[in-house]
Amino acid sequence: MNIALIAHDEKKQDMVNFTVAYQPVLKKHNLFATGTTGMKIAEATGLDVHRFRSGPLGGDQQIGAMIADDKMDLIIFFKDPLTAQPHEPDIAALIRLCDVYQIPLASNMASAELFIHALRRGDFDWRKVIHEREDRS
């Protein structure tokens, strides 16, 4: 599966801790991240992470384009609800695309852990079925 990992500045260490803890699960998937978040994850875990631009410089939009092209399966986005973000419209657009295209979105550690355990169990295999059907048509 293609998984995007995004974290606001105040949540980057949480994302690093999360990826360290769940490295055995994440290493089986294609990982994508916004700039600094991806760099910190790769440095801490050794995971192969495709890095886009930072969020304020278009990284959120690059991930959004993957969603619109049906090339993203899961978003883990640790948002900082207590700090105003200069690129809030981009964040809102990304969340909207997740809703439009039925892409699971975890916005905090609690929901991300639920998704990771579901991923480990194979609960997201329905995404693979959809892709296989589209490939046959």
Side-chain angles (χ1 to χ4, degrees):
M1 289 184 63
N2 292 336
I3 301 171
L5 305 167
I6 309 166
H8 285 148
D9 289 345
E10 296 299 318
K11 300 293 182 176
K12 288 191 189 315
Q13 190 56 52
D14 288 345
M15 180 62 79
V16 168
N17 295 342
F18 177 82
T19 57
V20 166
Y22 293 106
Q23 183 177 353
V25 177
L26 293 170
K27 73 180 180 183
K28 298 175 185 175
H29 301 278
N30 302 314
L31 304 178
F32 299 83
T34 49
T36 307
T37 303
M39 179 184 67
K40 288 178 181 276
I41 291 168
E43 287 174 354
T45 64
L47 290 169
D48 184 26
V49 181
H50 175 85
R51 291 174 49 213
F52 291 113
R53 290 182 176 92
S54 69
L57 297 178
D60 298 330
Q61 292 178 341
Q62 290 176 296
I63 291 171
M66 286 189 71
I67 293 169
D69 288 340
D70 198 28
K71 295 180 180 173
M72 190 58 66
D73 299 299
L74 174 64
I75 309 289
I76 298 175
F77 187 172
F78 289 176
K79 299 186 326 175
D80 178 4
L82 302 177
T83 304
Q85 302 297 327
H87 62 296
E88 190 63 42
D90 297 338
I91 297 164
L94 180 67
I95 293 168
R96 180 182 169 278
L97 285 170
C98 288
D99 291 340
V100 168
Y101 290 97
Q102 303 296 315
I103 303 302
L105 167 68
S107 63
N108 58 55
M109 183 80 72
S111 57
E113 287 190 317
L114 291 172
F115 282 0
I116 284 293
H117 291 295
L119 190 62
R120 182 183 293 154
R121 285 191 310 264
D123 294 352
F124 287 108
D125 287 351
W126 62 272
R127 295 279 308 156
K128 292 177 189 173
V129 171
I130 290 171
H131 288 301
E132 289 169 4
R133 285 184 190 159
E134 290 171 353
D135 290 343
R136 282 186 256 152
S137 346

